[in-house]
Amino acid sequence: MPDQSRTLIADRRIQDDEWVLCEEDASRPENGRVILPLVEWQEAPGDDVAPLLASDTELTPELAEQLLDAPLIAIDFPKFTDGRGYSIARQLRERHGYQGQIRAVGDVLIDQLYYMSRCGFDAFLLREDQVVEDALNALDTFSLSYQPGTDTPEPLFRRRMRESA
């Protein structure tokens, strides 16, 4: 049964979560879609099983190749101050071309959502104490970005030069 105490935002809207997050030493449900720690996922990949990457996962080319077949990839944020998950998501999108859902789980706060979305996250399992309406608004915190991101690969100065030409 999905964790009903946490809200899932995917594709910029609240959605029902069809996936059950099974972290280390958690009992796995017999039926349904499950997110498992990476090692367990590697032992039993499939359409109803997705990997959970720890924030210290080393994204080797071999691992990235395996992950391309995953129906979704969850990346854990053990603490909101741990930014390694941003790099993993960005590498998956830009370097390895992952097209599926990348979901932020763990200590996910609303003030991170905009930046997470720029790095390639398109789903967020919010911490229980976060206000959903504020989270949805946080995705549109800024109207323009100076730096390139997975959502806008061209930096602002190049866009402006192109538009003025």
Side-chain angles (χ1 to χ4, degrees):
M1 188 68 150
D3 184 355
Q4 299 300 324
S5 62
R6 291 181 169 230
T7 300
L8 175 67
I9 295 176
D11 299 321
R12 296 182 166 265
R13 59 188 172 87
I14 300 167
Q15 295 190 8
D16 292 331
D17 194 356
E18 300 174 353
W19 294 84
V20 176
L21 179 61
C22 297
E23 299 182 60
E24 303 278 334
D25 303 323
S27 61
R28 179 179 174 181
E30 302 219 2
N31 296 319
R33 305 174 114 190
V34 294
I35 300 171
L36 298 173
L38 178 61
V39 173
E40 292 179 44
W41 173 79
Q42 288 174 315
E43 294 170 356
D47 291 339
D48 61 345
V49 182
L52 170 64
L53 305 183
S55 63
D56 63 352
T57 300
E58 182 182 348
L59 195 58
T60 64
E62 297 78 23
L63 176 57
E65 185 70 29
Q66 289 176 3
L67 292 171
L68 290 177
D69 294 330
L72 78 83
I73 298 172
I75 300 175
D76 184 39
F77 284 81
K79 297 184 284 187
F80 75 90
T81 57
D82 186 344
R84 295 175 288 180
Y86 292 88
S87 299
I88 295 171
R90 190 143 186 187
Q91 288 176 26
L92 283 167
R93 292 280 190 224
E94 293 180 341
R95 195 175 292 167
H96 303 290
Y98 183 73
Q99 296 295 311
Q101 183 183 97
I102 299 180
R103 180 182 295 196
V105 302
D107 199 12
V108 178
L109 307 178
I110 62 171
D111 54 341
Q112 298 170 291
L113 300 188
Y114 175 78
Y115 302 105
M116 287 178 168
S117 69
R118 303 247 25 245
C119 291
F121 288 94
D122 53 3
F124 315 93
L125 194 59
L126 298 175
R127 197 170 76 182
E128 295 92 347
D129 63 345
Q130 300 300 286
V131 178
V132 177
E133 294 77 21
D134 291 343
L136 290 169
N137 291 332
L139 288 167
D140 296 316
T141 299
F142 301 103
S143 59
L144 286 175
S145 298
Y146 291 107
Q147 305 86 357
T150 60
D151 57 345
T152 310
E154 192 176 40
L156 182 61
F157 79 90
R158 285 214 175 104
R159 286 179 277 169
R160 287 192 172 159
M161 285 175 53
R162 183 176 30 80
E163 292 166 1
S164 68

